Amino acid sequence: MNLTLKVWRQKNDKTKGKFVTIQAKDIADDMSFLEMLDVVNEDLTREGEDPIYFDHDCREGICGMCSLVINGRPHGPKYGITTCQLHMRSFHDGQTIVIEPWRAAAFPVLKDLAVDRTSFDRIQQAGGYVNVNTGGVPDANAIPVPKRIADEAFESATCIGCGACVAACKNASAMLFVSAKISQFALLPQGQTERYERAQAMIDQMDAEGFGNCTNTGACEAECPKGIKLSNIARMNREYFTAKFFREEDVHTHS
């Protein structure tokens, strides 16, 4: 099939960007969306033009790098998949497809469709870890965890940090991402040591990065490729407000 692409082209975050119309010709419907862009880039390169710059890595739906807004939706028109899992059979011959980067002040454009998401890394570094010696794997497996709690922690841990929640939110909020990272530790016994310190540090860093706040529209959950639930945000808020009543050392002294 032949498609018309309206692609956002931008040299960097210091320059103005614009949509450029590009024709994608002879596209097979079993191609992935990223394979289609590869074909378009080969044609652009042969014509002596600058290829479209976009992020990708695993192409298996687990790394979260393929951050594209396609016809107004993060990762495209399908639910529960990343851009690399989106196939061209989801479109039809002659269709116009609008392709943009994530739109958020905290995700500055590197070039064209690729954005800088190191703000997520800094949030993780602020508290998304366990800072105690947990022993070896057998020791960790010896700690009893109710199945319901283990399943819920695992579901939170499936967040791949792609940023679709930020791109979908009218406030560019990162609360679904941050709450998933906080939840996976808050639910398990290994994460209790720094429970309240973690919530405060990660939320403070989120605010410092310039992400907006949550207004409960649910767009983040609807567009999340891994189905992270809004209930994580409620848990994060509870962790944060509880932490305000205690200092970390007081929690461990009297618990």
Side-chain angles (χ1 to χ4, degrees):
M1 55 185 165
N2 297 319
L3 303 161
T4 298
L5 307 181
K6 292 188 178 296
V7 183
W8 185 260
R9 306 301 304 263
Q10 186 173 346
K11 189 174 181 179
N12 53 50
D13 65 333
K14 301 296 190 298
T15 60
K16 289 186 177 181
K18 63 179 181 179
F19 283 105
V20 174
T21 300
I22 300 172
Q23 299 302 318
K25 301 176 181 178
D26 299 323
I27 302 301
D29 61 4
D30 61 351
M31 286 182 180
S32 74
F33 199 87
L34 298 187
E35 288 174 326
M36 179 274 293
L37 289 178
D38 288 337
V39 170
V40 170
N41 277 344
E42 289 175 3
D43 292 339
L44 290 173
T45 301
R46 279 194 293 268
E47 295 167 3
E49 297 185 29
D50 194 22
I52 302 165
Y53 195 90
F54 63 96
D55 260 337
H56 63 92
D57 191 4
C58 73
R59 300 203 177 200
E60 295 179 350
I62 58 175
C63 76
M65 294 295 290
C66 50
S67 51
L68 302 179
V69 175
I70 302 166
N71 285 347
R73 292 187 60 185
H75 294 302
K78 298 295 184 179
Y79 288 98
I81 62 172
T82 54
T83 301
C84 63
Q85 297 171 305
L86 177 66
H87 287 85
M88 297 312 296
R89 55 180 170 266
S90 301
F91 305 92
H92 59 79
D93 185 42
Q95 185 172 354
T96 297
I97 304 175
V98 180
I99 313 172
E100 306 171 68
W102 286 171
R103 303 288 191 181
F107 288 162
V109 172
L110 293 173
K111 185 177 180 181
D112 294 342
L113 304 175
V115 300
D116 182 355
R117 284 172 291 184
T118 54
S119 53
F120 270 12
D121 296 332
R122 290 188 290 272
I123 293 172
Q124 283 273 75
Q125 291 161 5
Y129 52 83
V130 176
N131 193 26
V132 293
N133 183 3
T134 58
V137 173
D139 299 323
N141 287 339
I143 301 174
V145 181
K147 185 178 186 305
R148 182 183 64 82
I149 298 298
D151 288 345
E152 197 168 350
F154 181 81
E155 289 171 4
S156 300
T158 59
C159 170
I160 57 177
C162 68
C165 51
V166 175
C169 179
K170 63 181 181 180
N171 302 326
S173 171
M175 291 184 75
L176 193 68
F177 163 77
V178 178
S179 66
K181 299 305 178 183
I182 287 175
S183 289
Q184 73 182 70
F185 292 110
L187 286 163
L188 296 176
Q190 294 90 339
Q192 299 308 303
T193 305
E194 299 159 308
R195 180 175 179 178
Y196 300 116
E197 180 181 300
R198 176 182 301 112
Q200 291 182 95
M202 293 183 74
I203 291 173
D204 288 348
Q205 186 63 42
M206 175 185 70
D207 292 341
E209 296 292 343
F211 291 104
N213 212 334
C214 174
T215 49
N216 297 310
T217 60
C220 54
E221 180 181 317
E223 299 295 355
C224 175
K226 298 303 177 182
I228 304 299
K229 302 298 183 184
L230 279 174
S231 56
N232 286 292
I233 297 179
R235 180 181 297 108
M236 179 187 72
N237 288 335
R238 185 167 63 249
E239 294 286 309
Y240 184 75
F241 289 127
T242 303
K244 291 301 181 183
F245 290 99
F246 302 102
R247 292 183 302 171
E248 188 70 15
E249 57 269 26
D250 291 340
V251 173
H252 299 308
T253 300
H254 301 105
S255 61

